[in-house]
Amino acid sequence: MNSRQQQKEQRRQLILQTALDLFIRKGYGETKIADIAKAANMSMGLLFHYFESKEKLYEALIRIGSEKLKMELNFGTASPLTTFQYIAEDIFQTIRANPFAAKMFVLMENAQHLDTLPADIKEMLVEADKLITKSISLIEEGQRLNEIRDGNPQALAIAFWNSLQGIAQHIALHPEVPCPEAEWIIAILKK
């Protein structure tokens, strides 16, 4: 990548990060494109060169978050409980190392409550629910192996994923707080 392309990508990332910060602090409706341009220290014309509207910028962020949610829950020969351990460790490592990732949890949660989003963006948000659904069979397998506690598999999946969601959101809004250990979250599932 040449230096001009690198500069364009850096500006694009700056716009995304700036918009993400404003969207999670002020909300989608209260954030104006002028606010984003000002916070990114660029003209609105330059910002429009990268994103044609606030909606397209928001959509780009939702697309990034949705892609991350398309994770596979298959870790080869790992047991179901070990798979959940890997997931929790990976998410915690990511949000510790990258504040953008933690903030994406806030954005994705907030976006699910917006009635004004276009249908295609709402469809992208369905990926979060798919993670819970995909987890159910893994939890059932762990219960059969006697490594995951008894209980409703869907309720256990909800408890696991929403614990991760809540922790990521808290860290996004309070980056100075310590991140819990993954094993504490695994205790929700462990028999």
Side-chain angles (χ1 to χ4, degrees):
M1 185 181 297
N2 68 35
S3 63
R4 185 165 169 79
Q5 290 171 318
Q6 217 171 9
Q7 184 182 31
K8 282 184 78 166
E9 183 54 29
Q10 287 172 342
R11 272 198 199 117
R12 185 178 186 284
Q13 291 304 314
L14 173 64
I15 294 167
L16 288 168
Q17 289 174 3
T18 303
L20 179 60
D21 284 339
L22 289 170
F23 287 142
I24 67 172
R25 279 187 319 175
K26 294 176 73 172
Y28 176 75
E30 294 298 314
T31 301
K32 308 294 180 233
I33 201 77
D35 300 333
I36 298 168
K38 182 179 178 183
N41 199 26
M42 65 180 61
S43 70
M44 284 182 39
L46 182 58
L47 191 145
F48 283 127
H49 177 72
Y50 290 89
F51 297 96
E52 65 186 56
S53 65
K54 178 176 87 167
E55 292 77 17
K56 292 295 182 187
L57 177 50
Y58 195 76
E59 181 181 327
L61 286 166
I62 296 297
R63 194 172 306 283
I64 291 167
S66 295
E67 285 303 312
K68 300 293 183 199
L69 291 173
K70 290 181 181 176
M71 69 174 69
E72 287 302 318
L73 302 182
N74 182 359
F75 288 90
T77 60
S79 73
L81 193 63
T82 302
T83 297
F84 285 110
Q85 177 85 27
Y86 289 159
I87 291 166
E89 287 171 355
D90 181 57
I91 288 173
F92 287 163
Q93 180 180 353
T94 300
I95 63 175
R96 275 189 216 112
N98 186 355
F100 184 87
K103 292 173 185 177
M104 286 302 294
F105 278 87
V106 178
L107 179 85
M108 296 298 285
E109 175 63 24
N110 290 345
Q112 294 203 16
H113 304 286
L114 292 177
D115 293 331
T116 58
L117 293 177
D120 57 329
I121 293 178
K122 285 184 180 183
E123 185 60 35
M124 286 187 255
L125 294 170
V126 172
E127 290 303 321
D129 291 332
K130 287 181 183 176
L131 273 178
I132 291 171
T133 303
K134 288 192 283 188
S135 298
I136 293 171
S137 61
L138 194 58
I139 289 172
E140 290 170 338
E141 178 62 21
Q143 288 172 328
R144 280 191 289 279
L145 295 171
N146 210 27
E147 65 176 23
I148 292 182
R149 70 175 61 234
D150 294 331
N152 182 298
Q154 183 180 21
L156 286 166
I158 290 167
F160 174 78
W161 288 106
N162 284 307
S163 294
L164 293 175
Q165 172 74 28
I167 291 164
Q169 284 186 235
H170 191 82
I171 289 172
L173 299 173
H174 307 282
E176 72 284 355
V177 300
C179 188
E181 298 295 323
E183 61 203 38
W184 301 346
I185 303 308
I186 296 307
I188 292 169
L189 299 175
K190 193 173 186 178
K191 186 153 189 155

